[in-house]
Amino acid sequence: MKNSPVQSHVLRLAHPPIPTVRIGIIGLGNRGLLTLQRYLQIEGVEIKALCEIREGNLSKAQQLLKEAGRSEATGYTGVEGWKKMCESDEADLIFICTDWLMHTPMATFAMECNKHVAIEVPAAMSVEECWQLVDTAEKTRRHCIMLENCCYDPFALMTLNMAQRGLFGEIMHVEGAYIHDLRSMYFAEESEGGYHNHWGKRYSIEHTGNPYPTHGLGPACQILDIHRSDRMEYLVSMSTHQAGMSEYARRLFGEYSPEAHQKYQLGDVNTTLIHTLKGKTIMLQYAISTPRPYSRLQTICGTLGFAQKYPVPCIALDPNGDTPLEGELLEKMMARYKHPFSATIGEEAHRRGLPNEMNYVMDYRLIHCLRNGLPLDMDVYDAAEWSCITELSEKSVLNKSMAVEIPDFTRGAWKKYKY
């Protein structure tokens, strides 16, 4: 455990209400522009500042504001434009939508400038960066939320509601994943939907393990009430060797091309097993270079029941645990235990014809909590716990699946502080 600084924990941190939340966005690539479009749909928000190293993207963002009938935001460019934006007094909340490696440096600087921060996933790429986020949030008393939209998936929320009502009994094992064929994006140019400077592919060349754990892990940790009544204790991780990226490159560029002969550290499939202090287990998978259907698994195994979202929603409860509910029975069960967020905010998203329910629920909840002075649904400890798996899984893979301890980022406060 890292030595405790003088500051105290920020569990259930709340601030005075902010009637109109002023937003600044760093990074206006694919994700940043989508974030801007989403927050134009949220009441009680003003987009006050925009930062981007590519002026063309900044112009696109300003045009989106104009088309929405909004005032032009202050624009920041250049390598350190983001620092000037954070130092200004224009925004209450800074969104960080850049590549992974800049998330923590930008977030800590923004908090030191007395701004709340919302970070795209993952929030950090190393255990040290996770501690930086925690230490800075505790020192500055600023909100630091990772924008893990999968925690607001309707099925995840429904099963969380069922779990909290005891329908699964004692939950013993959960599973999550990020299984998504991204080969075309990794090799595409940015103008064709690829990553800026191919940063995702570059990371795969240099690292192994699970670099993107939070989509699967976030809902799993919420089901197990991690750092509320339990905590993740240690993990073991194992990866296959790499073949999928090379095979794809051979087909796309030719057998003798430099792309086909590029070496990658990241295996095609990573499986990580996590053990909690109370003896529960989490199975986490990552696979982005094989032709598999999209899946986040979302599996819950308890003493009284089972649920899993992918490949099709499945619920089975005692006394008929070996027979999944089907048809009308399944529909009635899912309707009966629909989470209040889905039944209200999610339904509003459908009425308005918005494209992604879980994004809208996440966005709405973040702004609602800030406008009403409430603690956020996800805190800096969630961001650190879910993100630290990146480095720890790699460490385990490189050491023949050695068990690796997972830090308690609350420094024991979760045991003393009752939610």
Side-chain angles (χ1 to χ4, degrees):
M1 181 184 297
K2 189 174 180 181
N3 292 333
S4 176
V6 294
Q7 69 260 16
S8 60
H9 69 75
V10 287
L11 296 167
R12 300 290 291 172
L13 176 69
H15 276 265
I18 307 173
T20 300
V21 180
R22 302 172 303 158
I23 288 177
I25 301 176
I26 306 174
L28 296 166
N30 294 335
R31 194 66 181 176
L33 290 174
L34 288 173
T35 299
L36 171 59
Q37 290 174 307
R38 296 200 327 257
Y39 278 85
L40 291 173
Q41 307 293 329
I42 304 295
E43 184 180 351
V45 161
E46 289 182 356
I47 308 297
K48 302 295 289 185
L50 298 169
C51 180
E52 172 57 48
I53 57 175
R54 296 154 293 183
E55 292 194 13
N57 284 4
L58 180 58
S59 297
K60 290 179 185 178
Q62 298 285 21
Q63 182 62 28
L64 288 173
L65 289 174
K66 182 179 179 180
E67 291 172 358
R70 303 291 186 95
S71 300
E72 184 175 278
T74 304
Y76 295 86
T77 58
V79 176
E80 296 205 334
W82 62 274
K83 288 186 176 180
K84 295 178 183 178
M85 190 180 87
C86 293
E87 289 169 338
S88 77
D89 61 0
E90 295 173 294
D92 308 298
L93 174 65
I94 301 293
F95 278 78
I96 300 168
C97 303
T98 63
D99 68 83
W100 299 341
L101 299 182
M102 290 303 296
H103 287 181
T104 295
M106 289 178 170
T108 53
F109 187 85
M111 285 188 280
E112 287 166 351
C113 293
N114 291 319
K115 306 299 191 296
H116 303 299
V117 295
I119 317 172
E120 274 296 343
V121 300
M125 299 307 291
S126 69
V127 173
E128 180 57 35
E129 285 192 341
C130 291
W131 279 116
Q132 289 173 23
L133 291 175
V134 169
D135 287 345
T136 307
E138 291 181 347
K139 179 179 68 176
T140 63
R141 319 304 292 174
R142 298 293 103 182
H143 287 300
C144 178
I145 184 173
M146 181 170 63
L147 296 168
E148 186 40 83
N149 59 354
C150 294
C151 290
Y152 297 92
D153 172 272
F155 191 88
L157 285 172
M158 178 199 67
T159 49
L160 178 62
N161 190 25
M162 293 175 68
Q164 291 171 342
R165 292 168 179 250
L167 270 76
F168 298 118
E170 183 178 0
I171 296 175
M172 304 305 297
H173 175 78
V174 292
E175 298 177 4
Y178 186 64
I179 298 168
H180 191 182
D181 185 357
L182 296 178
R183 292 172 296 173
S184 62
M185 287 184 64
Y186 270 52
F187 287 101
E189 296 301 322
E190 185 178 2
S191 60
E192 301 169 345
Y195 296 100
H196 178 58
N197 289 335
H198 296 286
W199 63 262
K201 185 170 66 173
R202 291 206 316 271
Y203 192 89
S204 300
I205 291 170
E206 299 170 358
H207 294 278
T208 185
N210 183 340
Y212 200 68
T214 71
H215 281 341
L217 187 57
C221 285
Q222 290 191 332
I223 283 281
L224 291 180
D225 223 16
I226 295 299
H227 91 241
R228 278 83 174 174
S229 65
D230 195 2
R231 80 170 185 87
M232 295 186 288
E233 185 182 19
Y234 63 88
L235 65 76
V236 296
S237 189
M238 181 179 294
S239 290
T240 70
H241 74 278
Q242 187 282 137
M245 294 282 276
S246 297
E247 174 61 29
Y248 187 84
R250 278 193 292 271
R251 296 202 308 270
L252 191 63
F253 300 103
E255 183 176 354
Y256 302 106
S257 64
E259 291 87 352
H261 288 271
Q262 175 65 59
K263 303 296 183 183
Y264 296 90
Q265 294 295 317
L266 190 69
D268 284 0
V269 179
N270 173 268
T271 302
T272 299
L273 293 173
I274 300 169
H275 190 272
T276 78
L277 200 63
K278 290 186 174 181
K280 313 302 176 64
T281 55
I282 304 170
M283 191 274 281
L284 196 62
Q285 282 199 329
Y286 176 82
I288 52 86
S289 58
T290 53
R292 296 172 64 181
Y294 181 89
S295 174
R296 298 195 305 274
L297 294 179
Q298 291 187 210
T299 304
I300 302 102
C301 303
T303 56
L304 297 178
F306 167 89
Q308 181 170 288
K309 180 176 180 180
Y310 296 92
V312 294
C314 173
I315 299 174
L317 303 174
D318 271 350
N320 302 302
D322 60 345
T323 306
L325 297 174
E326 295 181 345
E328 188 177 347
L329 288 177
L330 177 62
E331 291 178 8
K332 285 184 176 179
M333 176 68 69
M334 294 175 70
R336 180 178 180 184
Y337 292 102
K338 180 181 283 192
H339 194 280
F341 290 173
S342 302
T344 54
I345 310 165
E347 287 301 317
E348 180 185 342
H350 290 297
R351 286 195 300 271
R352 296 176 61 182
L354 300 177
N356 189 312
E357 175 183 336
M358 61 188 191
N359 274 346
Y360 183 73
V361 177
M362 175 183 70
D363 299 337
Y364 183 100
R365 283 292 302 168
L366 171 57
I367 300 305
H368 173 82
C369 290
L370 291 174
R371 294 184 72 198
N372 290 276
L374 302 172
L376 305 187
D377 296 340
M378 299 176 286
D379 60 26
V380 70
Y381 306 112
D382 293 311
E385 289 160 357
W386 305 347
S387 298
C388 78
I389 304 305
T390 294
E391 180 185 0
L392 299 183
S393 63
E394 180 172 31
K395 185 176 181 179
S396 180
V397 168
L398 293 175
N399 288 276
K400 296 184 176 180
S401 303
M402 173 185 73
V404 179
E405 182 181 354
I406 299 173
D408 176 4
F409 291 101
T410 75
R411 302 181 180 90
W414 69 273
K415 293 181 289 188
K416 308 167 190 173
Y417 188 82
K418 301 300 181 184
Y419 278 76

